[in-house]
Amino acid sequence: MSSTDIKPEEFDFLVKKALELEAIDAKIIPTYNVFVEKRVVLKCRGCIGYGKKLTCPPHVPTVDEVREILKEYSYAMLVKFRSPAIADEEIAKAPYKTWLDPAEPEETRKKKPQSSGKNILTTARKRLPQCWSSKR
């Protein structure tokens, strides 16, 4: 059986298993719907943890390598879990420290108070793709 003969419904057992394992949501999508943007790495470069974990750049595949890997598959499974981890506030804020308004004078940008890690994480969650809506 070739991968073109497989239908996404055939993976429903995986979605069911993920939900049994306390995933908040799980979806099977065609890999052509997975968009890998080069700007994702920019978030990592501003982090004080950059290069310190094997799950972070530069120790993970590049954007182009991920795109090539995805071409070998017909479907991908996205799984959303609630993490029990507590983010270190400085690491949570790090990428946002470099996202300042370049139109502002340098002295104003330096004096801006940094928002808390909690507010930053809330803002980031609001920008998550809509595929994580609670509707299935």
Side-chain angles (χ1 to χ4, degrees), residues 34-42 44-45 50 54-71:
V34 178
F35 298 98
V36 184
E37 296 179 336
K38 290 193 180 248
R39 69 185 177 115
V40 170
V41 179
L42 296 176
C44 298
R45 287 189 185 155
Y50 181 83
L54 293 177
T55 55
C56 300
H59 308 295
V60 295
T62 66
V63 170
D64 290 332
E65 288 171 332
V66 171
R67 288 180 181 149
E68 286 302 311
I69 291 167
L70 284 172
K71 289 178 185 177

Side-chain angles (χ1 to χ4, degrees), residues 44 47-61 83 85-88 91-92:
C44 298
C47 179
I48 61 174
Y50 181 83
K52 294 182 180 176
K53 295 182 181 180
L54 293 177
T55 55
C56 300
H59 308 295
V60 295
S83 172
I86 298 172
D88 177 273
I91 290 176

Side-chain angles (χ1 to χ4, degrees), residues 9-28 77-81 136:
E9 298 80 30
E10 294 183 48
F11 298 109
D12 284 348
F13 73 99
L14 292 173
V15 172
K16 182 180 177 188
K17 187 65 175 176
L19 295 173
E20 286 173 9
L21 294 171
E22 299 183 10
I24 296 168
D25 199 1
K27 295 180 187 270
I28 302 292
M77 181 174 174
L78 301 178
V79 183
K80 181 180 179 182
F81 284 97
R136 275 192 280 227

Side-chain angles (χ1 to χ4, degrees), residues 100-134:
L100 300 172
D101 183 359
E104 285 189 19
E106 185 69 24
E107 60 273 10
T108 307
R109 286 192 275 160
K110 286 184 179 178
K111 291 180 184 175
K112 266 189 174 178
Q114 296 291 330
S115 58
S116 73
K118 182 178 179 182
N119 290 340
I120 289 170
L121 292 174
T122 302
T123 302
R125 283 189 193 109
K126 289 179 185 174
R127 295 182 182 164
L128 287 174
Q130 293 303 312
C131 66
W132 291 118
S133 69
S134 59

